[in-house]
Amino acid sequence: MNTTEIFLIAMIIIFALPYLIWRLGRTDYWAPLVVVQIITGILLGPGVLGAAFPDYYAFVFNKDVVAALNGVAWWAVMLFVCIAGIELDLRKAWEHRRESTITAGLALGMPLLFGCVVAAGMLGFDGWIGANGMTWQFVVCVGIACAVTALPILILFMEKMNILRQPIGQRILRYASIDDIAIWGVLALVLMDWMRIGRQAGFLVAFAVACILFRKLMRRLQERDRWYVMLVWLAICAFGADWAGLHFMVGAFLAGVVIDTDWFEQEHMDRLRHHVLLVMMPVFFLSTGLKTGWSVGGATVFVAAGALLVAQLAGKLAGIHLAGRILKWPPGEASIIGWLLQTK
């Protein structure tokens, strides 16, 4: 078989198998389709089914097919994150800047601190750091991994719960968005690549200038033309951010943030998000699972994973509850926000 035929076999598996498990198993209440897709990817990946049937994995998910799937997944998540940026109301973010700064800071800082403590304990065992890595870089990066909130998963869950456009959903989106941008900035500093930091400064200056020109152009266009210009703008911003070392998803989110929601009919935007979720995002979610391997060091890794899971859960909840006390939130609100920001 040629690469096209094998790619189509992979697409059949990606769309059919999770759907059948989700629909026939009626898992929606306790495991939404996105969760089933990720778990199915893990089972189909090199660590489970690939280990049991290596010839199957080498045939279906060969490097050419995986490269093609990655391309679809990248574009899907860029579109999805860009739409999330459009959904974020910057005017409200500025109006509530004190609350957003305090909450996002604690939601980032506490799990980062807890994760760093666990990472320091992990240094008692060999094999965690690469040849070119430094101890402090390892500790901080593990802390960052504990602090991050996965924006695409968070948005999907909030949309499913019908709270994405509610005040609580917009607040949670603000906190997660601020943290996501901050985390990439911290990561850039940790990597100590001064050429990359220079690139990032250049990208941000160019982005600010381009935003002025882009917004002037969009105001003059009809909606049918704005869709095409938005896609070009998305690709440019994602490329610039990735070239600068900020990651293409940061660029995709920034591309959406500077777009006003009233430039598009809300029904049309909802339809686009629905179609992206239906047609493209399953490739992203399942390919995430496909990258999971298990030959990574035995039981010690699972102990470390359990400790890090506890650290990120406890840290995120502690940070949000502390923010709730400082800002005098109603009872129960901190728990709702804390658990939703756990998405990974």
Side-chain angles (χ1 to χ4, degrees):
M1 291 187 183
N2 59 39
T3 300
T4 303
E5 292 167 347
I6 301 172
F7 172 79
L8 292 173
I9 290 173
M11 291 293 278
I12 292 169
I13 295 172
I14 286 171
F15 282 92
L17 189 57
Y19 172 77
L20 290 173
I21 295 171
W22 172 70
R23 178 55 68 196
L24 298 179
R26 298 178 179 179
T27 69
D28 200 43
Y29 179 76
W30 51 272
L33 181 57
V34 56
V35 175
V36 176
Q37 288 165 342
I38 293 173
I39 293 174
T40 303
I42 293 172
L43 295 176
L44 292 173
V48 182
L49 203 58
F53 304 99
D55 291 339
Y56 133 80
Y57 187 81
F59 173 71
V60 177
F61 297 107
N62 62 64
K63 64 177 183 178
D64 294 330
V65 171
V66 169
L69 292 174
N70 284 339
V72 176
W74 292 339
W75 186 242
V77 75
M78 279 189 279
L79 278 169
F80 197 71
V81 171
C82 179
I83 295 170
I86 296 172
E87 296 280 3
L88 181 62
D89 191 333
L90 284 179
R91 297 182 188 92
K92 289 187 177 179
W94 180 252
E95 289 173 8
H96 303 283
R97 55 189 178 276
R98 177 177 176 270
E99 177 201 4
S100 298
T101 303
I102 291 173
T103 307
L106 289 169
L108 171 68
M110 293 295 279
L112 191 152
L113 178 61
F114 283 30
C116 286
V117 171
V118 175
M122 292 165 62
L123 292 173
F125 301 88
D126 295 329
W128 294 111
I129 305 177
N132 297 322
M134 300 176 67
T135 300
W136 71 270
Q137 289 176 319
F138 169 77
V139 171
V140 175
C141 285
V142 170
I144 289 172
C146 288
V148 71
T149 295
L151 268 177
I153 309 294
L154 174 64
I155 293 163
L156 190 142
F157 281 162
M158 291 200 297
E159 185 182 49
K160 181 179 176 59
M161 298 166 67
N162 295 318
I163 64 169
L164 180 60
R165 291 200 190 94
Q166 300 297 323
I168 186 72
Q170 284 292 299
R171 285 171 56 195
I172 293 169
L173 184 58
R174 286 200 302 271
Y175 307 149
S177 302
I178 292 170
D179 281 350
D180 210 44
I181 294 171
I183 282 168
W184 287 110
V186 172
L187 188 59
L189 293 174
V190 169
L191 292 175
M192 296 294 289
D193 188 339
W194 295 107
M195 182 180 295
R196 181 174 296 182
I197 292 172
R199 284 184 177 186
Q200 289 168 3
F203 165 73
L204 293 175
V205 170
F207 176 75
V209 174
C211 282
I212 297 171
L213 301 175
F214 169 74
R215 289 178 61 80
K216 286 183 178 179
L217 174 63
M218 290 291 274
R219 290 191 185 101
R220 296 180 179 180
L221 297 176
Q222 296 181 354
E223 185 182 356
R224 66 182 181 183
D225 295 313
R226 286 172 178 168
W227 291 106
Y228 292 98
V229 174
M230 181 190 75
L231 294 176
V232 175
W233 171 248
L234 166 61
I236 291 172
C237 291
F239 168 79
D242 205 69
W243 172 82
L246 287 171
H247 201 272
F248 62 82
M249 280 206 288
V250 174
F253 182 75
L254 291 175
V257 164
V258 300
I259 295 175
D260 293 347
T261 53
D262 55 11
W263 287 350
F264 303 96
E265 290 289 338
Q266 190 63 64
E267 182 182 348
H268 295 168
M269 187 60 69
D270 290 342
R271 197 177 301 156
L272 174 61
R273 183 173 55 252
H274 171 76
H275 290 159
V276 171
L277 277 170
L278 175 67
V279 176
M280 300 177 71
M281 285 300 282
V283 180
F284 169 73
F285 292 130
L286 196 132
S287 65
T288 301
L290 283 173
K291 297 171 185 173
T292 304
W294 299 99
S295 56
V296 286
T300 306
V301 172
F302 289 92
V303 173
L308 290 170
L309 178 63
V310 171
Q312 67 96 9
L313 281 168
K316 190 75 75 174
L317 288 172
I320 296 298
H321 277 277
L322 181 56
R325 288 195 175 195
I326 294 171
L327 298 167
K328 297 181 172 56
W329 290 346
E333 196 168 85
S335 293
I336 294 171
I337 295 172
W339 282 110
L340 279 170
L341 286 176
Q342 297 288 353
T343 53
K344 292 282 180 286

